[in-house]
Amino acid sequence: GAVVSQHPSRVICKSGTSVKIECRSLDFQATTMFWYRQFPKQSLMLMATSNEGSKATYEQGVEKDKFLINHASLTLSTLTVTSAHPEDSSFYICSAEPIGQANQPQHFGDGTRLSIL
Amino acid sequence: AQKITQTQPGMFVQEKEAVTLDCTYDTSDPSYGLFWYKQPSSGEMIFLIYQGSYDQQNATEGRYSLNFQKARKSANLVISASQLGDSAMYFCAMREADYKLSFGAGTTVTVRA
């Protein structure tokens, strides 16, 4: 089945550090990938839609300069949390939708637990 | 307005029994898709079942079935013969024309031996 690899799975770093998270579709191509944020015991909140070869589309209230998204190829999107602070600590998870399969589910990565000290 | 509503924050079910998780949705799109995902404590999102808005029959996948009542805008998940491994958070989600997924608040299911 379709697999999405997300790396790293866990990050602990100091305040002020920038952290890059990769989301890679291993056996399919995706023009669109999605980035979500999830606080403990809460739902997934869509942060942005990553579009291959063009700028990401951010949801209302998400700072585009804080959360940089790059979708340089049909199999890779990256989310960089710039100058991270403790309030950025959360679970970040990506998903990808295979090209031409509109009625198929999005495939999720295993998520990244980010802890900012 | 909330697009997906899950009114049950938590549920307990006895092993081998069935459990129904409620989900109602709100959309004006004629074409949409409804999904259920399972999220164990490790965090990964596991796709369970899909129902398209034009599907005439209720979706089934093994022990999972979706009770789709279009007029009532509900898409309840039924898990039959519960197993201890079913203990997890369950999310109902909807995809509309813009392909974005909207998630409900989730229901935590705890299966008791």
Side-chain angles (χ1 to χ4, degrees):
Chain A
V3 176
V4 172
S5 172
Q6 188 172 338
H7 178 80
S9 58
R10 179 179 287 272
V11 180
I12 302 173
C13 57
K14 293 181 180 178
S15 185
T17 306
S18 291
V19 177
K20 181 187 278 189
I21 304 170
E22 289 189 351
C23 181
R24 198 179 294 270
S25 56
L26 297 184
D27 53 359
F28 64 94
Q29 293 183 326
T31 52
T32 304
M33 293 185 178
F34 302 89
W35 287 96
Y36 298 86
R37 183 174 182 173
Q38 184 181 31
F39 290 107
K41 300 193 186 304
Q42 293 189 22
S43 188
L44 278 72
M45 298 302 297
L46 180 66
M47 298 174 66
T49 302
S50 173
N51 305 297
E52 188 269 334
S54 63
K55 291 182 179 179
T57 307
Y58 290 81
E59 295 300 300
Q60 193 171 11
V62 178
E63 299 176 58
K64 58 181 68 176
D65 295 330
K66 173 77 171 175
F67 300 100
L68 300 178
I69 290 173
N70 184 273
H71 194 151
S73 76
L74 287 172
T75 59
L76 175 65
S77 174
T78 60
L79 167 69
T80 301
V81 184
T82 62
S83 187
H85 292 285
E87 58 266 28
D88 299 321
S89 298
S90 189
F91 186 65
Y92 295 86
I93 191 165
C94 69
S95 72
E97 189 161 287
I99 294 173
Q101 297 185 29
N103 289 334
Q104 297 302 309
Q106 291 180 12
H107 303 285
F108 284 83
D110 286 346
T112 299
R113 295 195 186 278
L114 177 61
S115 299
I116 308 298
L117 305 178
Chain B
Q2 282 283 81
K3 292 190 177 186
I4 295 287
T5 302
Q6 293 180 254
T7 58
Q8 305 152 311
M11 295 190 72
F12 290 94
V13 59
Q14 206 64 29
E15 198 177 8
K16 299 180 185 176
E17 292 186 351
V19 62
T20 298
L21 308 184
D22 295 340
C23 173
T24 57
Y25 60 93
D26 184 25
T27 181
S28 56
D29 283 358
S31 178
Y32 52 90
L34 297 160
F35 302 81
W36 278 92
Y37 286 88
K38 172 184 177 181
Q39 187 181 41
S41 56
S42 50
E44 71 269 27
M45 294 291 285
I46 302 168
F47 164 71
L48 298 178
I49 196 165
Y50 165 79
Q51 181 86 42
S53 58
Y54 295 119
D55 293 343
Q56 295 295 313
Q57 291 190 324
N58 287 342
T60 60
E61 289 286 349
R63 295 187 297 111
Y64 304 106
S65 59
L66 199 151
N67 184 1
F68 182 45
Q69 299 194 30
K70 193 171 183 177
R72 296 177 60 184
K73 293 190 174 180
S74 75
N76 297 343
L77 175 72
V78 180
I79 306 173
S80 61
S82 296
Q83 302 171 356
L84 294 177
D86 293 335
S87 294
M89 188 87 151
Y90 289 81
F91 290 99
C92 179
M94 177 173 65
R95 180 173 60 200
E96 296 173 282
D98 61 4
Y99 295 103
K100 296 179 183 178
L101 273 183
S102 300
F103 285 87
T107 298
T108 300
V109 171
T110 303
V111 180
R112 289 170 164 159

